Amino acid sequence: MIRLIKNANNYLKRRAIISDGADYSYKNLLDASEIIALHLLNSTKDLNEARIAFIVQPGFDYVSIQWGIWRAGGIAVPLCISHPIASIKYVIEDSQVSTIVFSREYETLISPLHGNPELRFFCIEEFNSKSGILPIIDDNRRAMIIYTSGTTGSPKGVVSTHHNIEAQITSLIVAWEWNQNDHILNVLPMHHVHGIVNVLCCALWIGACCEFLDKFNPEKTFNIFCKNEVNIFMAVPTIYFKLISYYNELPGDAQQKISESLKRFRLMVSGSAALPISIFEKWKQISGHTLLERYGMTEIGMAISNPYKGERKAGYIGQPLPDVQIRLVDENDLGVYEGDPGEIQIKGTNVFKEYWGKPTETLESFTKDGWFKTGDISIFENGSYKILGRDSVDIIKSGGYKISALEIEEVLRLHPQIKDCAVVGLPDEEWGEIIAAGLVVSDKELNLIELTEWLKNKLPNYKTPRKYIILDDLPRNVMGKVTKKELISLFNT
Ligand code: MCA
Ligand code: AMP
């Protein structure tokens, strides 16, 4: 049996979820997910790892569907509620989804998928009570597919088993001393590990409460904080930046009220992208808290973290989390000397099973002796790891999202007026990096507002370039390869 769900029997009456102004207990979650599981099973015994996609607002329905899929033996494929249909279609087709569970507000968005005769559709508002027997689920079964960008153009589906997810959860429960009295506010998108595992699953594992905000908004976030119930918060650096900017515009008495409620928190975590020292320090002034920065990846959950008790150093990601093995290696996968930079490689039960339908990419992402190659370059100095960068210029981190420059280039090249292009990330305090594109165009009058409009239904908003430069040719080296570092410098001139 899936331990996360089994645990709920120990907390039946406790408050599990707050969403849309309502409270839901662990018993409510067990009841609702059982009904969903039985509907999905549709009189069969076991979904046997069928991929079930779902698109609903973050909140009670989201969690009930996730648990329902797991209890019926399916693989949960959470869809991003702000993606255009092209991106949703890609996920559905790539992971060979058999069923989509949706709420009415997304009915129109997903209606173009109705043409696919292989797909079943379930509207969450139409589930009614049902009784039956649920299958017994082994921990080694595949549980979830999360799409993440890589050095290839199209996003890859990262498959984690229940065992992998459990390991990712329990490591954080121990390291950050999660307990039943915790109450966390979840403002993160629910198609990534940060919001799903670190926030939601950890809270539910231990019998704590997870409160949802449907979409991040600084005013609403501070209003909830000021009720003095929330005691844990986790976010990407961009969110802390936005909270600080909003706070700075408030009158003194409002600031004081917020600062007082923040001082009551037990833990505040930053991750998914490098935390600028300026944000680390400004947040400390506002909240009295030293942000705990940690490092993770969709394929591995969390791997390295500053300590819960002990010194949290600005600019450093800390030490290995419980049950996670770390090594730093050179280009030949040989260990580097302490103080020398190397690629972070990871081993442990936390590490994912495979990229969905991509055996070659899966094999290539591990060393011969089973270490997962993160592509992140780090050094270990004075007892802590520090991230120095990535081994690929084609990966951009913006707003905490990992974005493939190649994926954006492929889409831009489809535009009739674009002859050639190259996409880069420009450093930015708020977003981490801003996406920028160098374009070679057939018509110098290319209208950039129209281009942005054209991109809207082809790429998610956060993957859309924010800056453009029109060039006669892209900067290239003697081999003819585009030199992205030079392109970045052209944006600064
Ligand atoms: C949106 N805008 C941007 C970007 N995104 N501008 C520049 N760069 C961007 N990346 C603009 C919009 O066009 C809009 O502009 C304005 O910002 C507001 O847009 P909106 O979509 O409403 O943005 P937001 O809601 O304020 O989004 C910011 C955000 C979001 C909340 C920080 O990006 C977010 O939720 N990020 C978290 C991603 C995450 O969870 N990553 C975890 C994956 P205008 O107003 O002009 O129209 S990493 C992971 O899971 C691993 C395991 C790990 O380590 O955690
Ligand atoms: P994702 O594939 O979306 O899970 O993003 C994982 C990537 O985010 C990692 O490979 C790192 O490059 C980056 N990342 C996560 N946490 C941190 C951090 N604390 N500092 C710097 N980079 C980070």
Side-chain angles (χ1 to χ4, degrees), residues 40-240:
L40 291 173
L41 283 168
N42 198 19
S43 303
T44 60
K45 287 203 171 103
D46 191 326
L47 288 181
N48 286 318
E49 299 190 342
R51 274 73 61 210
I52 315 292
F54 58 116
I55 182 157
V56 294
Q57 284 279 328
F60 180 71
D61 283 347
Y62 178 101
V63 190
S64 306
I65 298 168
Q66 183 196 57
W67 283 26
I69 296 168
W70 287 344
R71 295 180 80 183
I75 303 180
V77 186
L79 298 172
C80 174
I81 54 176
S82 63
H83 272 184
I85 189 66
S87 309
I88 290 177
K89 221 169 160 192
Y90 172 79
V91 169
I92 301 286
E93 285 168 6
D94 188 74
S95 59
Q96 300 143 300
V97 160
S98 65
T99 303
I100 302 183
V101 185
F102 64 96
S103 63
R104 281 231 169 76
E105 59 187 307
Y106 301 107
E107 198 164 9
T108 312
L109 173 70
I110 62 167
S111 60
L113 300 169
H114 284 297
N116 183 342
E118 314 270 292
L119 278 176
R120 282 193 309 168
F121 292 85
F122 277 119
C123 176
I124 181 77
E125 283 89 358
E126 285 168 13
F127 285 134
N128 44 26
S129 73
K130 209 172 166 88
S131 55
I133 295 172
L134 296 178
I136 294 169
I137 309 299
D138 185 88
D139 259 8
N140 289 315
R141 286 238 205 152
R142 293 169 181 83
M144 187 159 66
I145 304 183
I146 300 285
Y147 276 79
T148 184
S149 295
T151 41
T152 51
S154 309
K156 292 180 285 197
V158 174
V159 182
S160 302
T161 63
H162 289 288
H163 210 41
N164 297 146
I165 297 172
E166 262 182 46
Q168 295 174 7
I169 298 170
T170 49
S171 177
L172 296 184
I173 297 278
V174 172
W176 297 344
E177 301 189 11
W178 274 91
N179 66 75
Q180 267 191 19
N181 298 322
D182 284 331
H183 183 142
I184 191 161
L185 178 66
N186 196 346
V187 299
L188 293 166
M190 289 302 287
H191 64 297
H192 279 299
V193 164
H194 197 165
I196 300 172
V197 176
N198 297 23
V199 180
L200 174 67
C201 293
C202 281
L204 297 184
W205 180 275
I206 201 76
C209 175
C210 181
E211 179 164 357
F212 281 94
L213 199 57
D214 47 5
K215 186 182 184 320
F216 169 68
N217 168 296
E219 185 184 3
K220 287 186 188 167
T221 301
F222 280 139
N223 285 345
I224 294 176
F225 287 171
C226 285
K227 290 185 193 160
N228 294 328
E229 284 195 326
V230 174
N231 71 338
I232 306 191
F233 188 59
M234 297 183 192
V236 299
T238 304
I239 288 182
Y240 285 105

Side-chain angles (χ1 to χ4, degrees), residues 146-150 158 192-194 237 270-275 292-302 304 306 315-317 344 372 374-377 386-390 395-397 400-403:
I146 300 285
Y147 276 79
T148 184
S149 295
V158 174
H192 279 299
V193 164
H194 197 165
S270 172
S272 302
L275 175 66
L292 184 154
E293 183 172 8
R294 56 59 180 179
Y295 160 87
M297 198 172 178
T298 306
E299 288 88 336
I300 58 171
M302 299 303 108
I304 304 175
N306 273 283
Y316 288 82
I317 52 169
I344 304 177
F372 173 67
T374 64
D376 289 309
I377 309 300
K386 183 186 176 80
I387 297 281
L388 299 178
R390 288 195 57 88
I395 301 285
I396 299 168
K397 265 271 162 174
Y401 285 111
K402 187 171 170 187
I403 295 155

Side-chain angles (χ1 to χ4, degrees), residues 220-431:
K220 287 186 188 167
T221 301
F222 280 139
N223 285 345
I224 294 176
F225 287 171
C226 285
K227 290 185 193 160
N228 294 328
E229 284 195 326
V230 174
N231 71 338
I232 306 191
F233 188 59
M234 297 183 192
V236 299
T238 304
I239 288 182
Y240 285 105
F241 181 98
K242 285 176 181 288
L243 288 172
I244 293 166
S245 306
Y246 180 82
Y247 176 99
N248 285 340
E249 297 300 315
L250 292 173
D253 54 341
Q255 288 186 342
Q256 199 184 338
K257 192 171 170 219
I258 290 171
S259 291
E260 273 163 19
S261 61
L262 291 175
K263 289 200 171 72
R264 295 192 179 90
F265 275 59
R266 179 174 84 71
L267 174 65
M268 290 176 168
V269 179
S270 172
S272 302
L275 175 66
I277 292 178
S278 56
I279 297 182
F280 177 93
E281 281 168 354
K282 283 179 199 155
W283 191 254
K284 200 172 189 174
Q285 279 168 17
I286 289 176
S287 69
H289 278 268
T290 307
L291 280 175
L292 184 154
E293 183 172 8
R294 56 59 180 179
Y295 160 87
M297 198 172 178
T298 306
E299 288 88 336
I300 58 171
M302 299 303 108
I304 304 175
S305 167
N306 273 283
Y308 179 64
K309 289 182 179 138
E311 193 194 356
R312 300 176 192 168
K313 285 198 238 172
Y316 288 82
I317 52 169
Q319 298 81 34
L321 277 159
D323 302 320
V324 179
Q325 291 178 65
I326 311 282
R327 71 176 192 183
L328 294 186
V329 298
D330 63 17
E331 54 281 4
N332 299 314
D333 292 331
L334 297 170
V336 297
Y337 290 108
E338 192 169 325
D340 282 353
E343 183 198 28
I344 304 177
Q345 296 191 341
I346 312 276
K347 241 188 204 184
T349 316
N350 58 307
V351 178
F352 77 125
K353 183 178 178 71
E354 64 194 350
Y355 293 115
W356 181 260
K358 293 187 167 50
T360 311
E361 284 89 338
T362 306
L363 205 65
E364 284 169 356
S365 67
F366 287 88
T367 63
K368 287 197 182 73
D369 50 350
W371 290 84
F372 173 67
K373 305 190 255 184
T374 64
D376 289 309
I377 309 300
S378 174
I379 49 166
F380 185 76
E381 57 181 24
N382 306 320
S384 284
Y385 286 91
K386 183 186 176 80
I387 297 281
L388 299 178
R390 288 195 57 88
D391 63 1
S392 166
V393 280
D394 290 323
I395 301 285
I396 299 168
K397 265 271 162 174
S398 188
Y401 285 111
K402 187 171 170 187
I403 295 155
S404 161
L406 306 182
E407 182 187 356
I408 303 169
E409 289 164 9
E410 276 172 22
V411 174
L412 285 172
R413 283 198 194 98
L414 297 175
H415 191 278
Q417 278 167 269
I418 296 177
K419 288 205 293 191
D420 203 357
C421 65
V423 168
V424 291
L426 305 179
D428 183 84
E429 199 196 359
E430 177 172 7
W431 296 100

